[in-house]
């Protein structure tokens, strides 16, 4: 049986709007293909062998939750996690987790939270929270399609030349409410503001992450067994229709 190992960063501090559902979706779509997904929670103080990890998930959180884990993230996990990301670790980071992979997050109370600095983005809180449903158009190599999710953040994330956009905002605010960016990609790391949880709502992305991780661990020719997702895709179409008026 093929196995993959997933590190879930700070599940007790960084888990809002059912972000944990992303890990459940990955595990289920692996299991249904006969792939075992071993989940390792990463809590403050834990030592992790990042070289043995295939996937990582980092959810969103309140500013206060983020402040509690930044030192551990940078000092304890930093060197190993950064090296793994440079070595194409497959990673998904949502909202607060996305912000903390960047250079820094300046909160609305003026607190400066340093980030891991592995994504070339920085985040500055605005006065107004950006809340609501969101649709972004993405193309992961097989033509454009839409990711649906829900966002709630004060942080506005701005991008440097070191990252590519994950997608283009069709409805909602996205990374900063100004330039149409919906998330960022660096190597195999994907960051965005879409809670939802994101992966249960968007099985195409779930499968893309699993495929990247399988190929990294078991070789570039590893094929992902096709798996239906009719209900998820029907729900996705309903939300796209509702939010942008066309499918
Ligand atoms: N605390 C951060 C912000 O408000 C992230 C919020 C979140 O993860 N939902 O911008």
């Amino acid at each position: 049986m093929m196995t993959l190992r997933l590190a879930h960063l700070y599940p007790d501090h960084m888990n809002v709007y059912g972000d944990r559902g992303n890990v459940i979706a990955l595990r289920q779509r692996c299991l249904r293909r006969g792939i075992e997904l071993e989940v390792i929670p990463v809590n403050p103080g834990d030592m992790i062998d990042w070289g043995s990890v295939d996937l990582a998930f980092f959810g969103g959180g309140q500013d206060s939750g983020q402040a509690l884990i930044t030192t551990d993230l940078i000092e304890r996990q930093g060197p190993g996690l950064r090296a793994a990301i440079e070595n194409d670790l497959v990673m998904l980071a949502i909202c607060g987790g996305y912000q903390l992979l960047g250079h820094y997050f300046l909160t609305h109370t003026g607190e400066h939270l340093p980030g891991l600095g592995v994504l070339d983005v920085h985040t500055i809180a605005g006065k107004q929270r950006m809340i609501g449903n969101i649709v972004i158009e993405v193309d992961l190599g097989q033509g454009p399609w839409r990711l649906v999710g829900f966002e709630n953040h004060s942080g506005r994330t701005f991008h440097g030349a070191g990252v590519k956009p994950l997608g283009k905002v069709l409805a909602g605010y996205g990374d900063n409410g100004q330039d149409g960016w919906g998330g960022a990609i660096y190597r195999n790391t994907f960051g965005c503001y879409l809670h939802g949880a994101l992966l249960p709502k968007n099985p195409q992305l779930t499968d893309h992450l699993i495929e990247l991780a399988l190929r990294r661990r078991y070789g570039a020719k590893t094929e992902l067994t096709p798996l239906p997702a009719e209900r998820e895709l029907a729900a996705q179409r309903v939300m796209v229709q509702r939010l942008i008026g066309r499918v």
Side-chain angles (χ1 to χ4, degrees), residues 2-88:
M2 285 201 273
T3 57
L4 291 171
R5 299 185 97 192
L6 178 139
H8 186 175
L9 283 149
Y10 310 107
D12 297 337
H13 298 82
M14 302 289 287
N15 175 39
V16 289
Y17 296 114
D19 280 341
R20 201 183 291 272
N22 291 304
V23 174
I24 296 170
L26 285 165
R27 181 180 250 163
Q28 286 304 319
R29 291 190 73 77
C30 278
L31 258 183
R32 288 169 64 193
R33 295 181 164 105
I35 304 162
E36 191 193 340
L37 186 74
E38 186 192 343
V39 178
I40 307 158
V42 183
N43 289 306
D46 289 350
M47 297 302 293
I48 301 297
D49 172 12
W50 284 102
S52 73
V53 173
D54 303 298
L55 285 149
F57 175 70
F58 195 3
Q62 281 146 8
D63 295 4
S64 54
Q66 292 174 274
L68 289 173
I69 51 96
T70 43
T71 305
D72 191 87
L73 173 71
I74 293 165
E75 289 178 10
R76 194 180 310 275
Q77 308 305 342
L81 177 53
R82 242 185 248 115
I85 288 172
E86 295 297 339
N87 191 27
D88 293 335

Side-chain angles (χ1 to χ4, degrees), residues 14 16-17 19 59-63 66 94-97 99 105 123 129 152-156 193 195:
M14 302 289 287
V16 289
Y17 296 114
D19 280 341
Q62 281 146 8
D63 295 4
Q66 292 174 274
I94 306 293
C95 200
Q99 295 169 348
F105 172 32
T123 303
R129 293 195 73 81
N152 181 354
H153 50 112
S154 66
R156 295 166 305 163
Y193 275 103
H195 296 287

